[in-house]
Amino acid sequence: MRLRTTLVSTASAVALVLTIAGTASAAEGEFSYRYTDAAGETRKAELIDPDNAPVCIEVPEVANTPDAHAFRPRNQTNVRAIGFKASGCVGTDSFELAAKVGRGSDKTLFRSVLFA
């Protein structure tokens, strides 16, 4: 009897873990932005279906350049986006963009973003 109870408990725990892991999904849609490359050219990039678990996403095109920022964000995902001027999604210099329709200007600078 104990073996059966143990097996049922173990199976239930595994099912719960798999269910919880499955709920940490990606936002649906595209988050696009502009950045200036090493040659001084303005380029467009996007994050497709970005992770919306509480995970900070560094903008890869500016991550290795200390004074560089992405700009002109467009949030076409199904969740709000919170952009941060600093790396690591920290600091008070931040902005929010609504889901599906959020837009920032060329003056909206950021290095990291969080989807919530």
Side-chain angles (χ1 to χ4, degrees):
M1 188 65 152
R2 285 187 191 178
L3 180 59
R4 186 175 2 163
T5 303
T6 302
L7 288 174
V8 169
S9 297
T10 302
S12 297
V14 169
L16 179 61
V17 168
L18 292 175
T19 301
I20 291 171
T23 60
S25 62
E28 295 176 7
E30 177 182 296
F31 180 83
S32 64
Y33 53 91
R34 307 293 168 122
Y35 68 97
T36 304
D37 69 12
E41 298 291 323
T42 298
R43 303 283 182 190
K44 181 181 176 188
E46 60 275 326
L47 301 172
I48 306 296
D49 298 335
D51 191 355
N52 71 337
V55 174
C56 180
I57 299 173
E58 299 292 330
V59 176
E61 294 82 4
V62 299
N64 295 323
T65 309
D67 295 328
H69 291 88
F71 56 94
R72 199 187 310 165
R74 302 286 189 261
N75 186 19
Q76 297 296 312
T77 70
N78 63 336
V79 297
R80 75 184 163 115
I82 305 166
F84 295 85
K85 193 168 183 181
S87 295
C89 296
V90 296
T92 57
D93 199 353
S94 63
F95 61 88
E96 290 189 27
L97 297 177
K100 297 289 185 188
V101 296
R103 302 178 133 222
S105 72
D106 285 357
K107 294 181 181 181
T108 308
L109 305 178
F110 65 104
R111 293 182 56 82
S112 57
V113 63
L114 183 69
F115 295 90

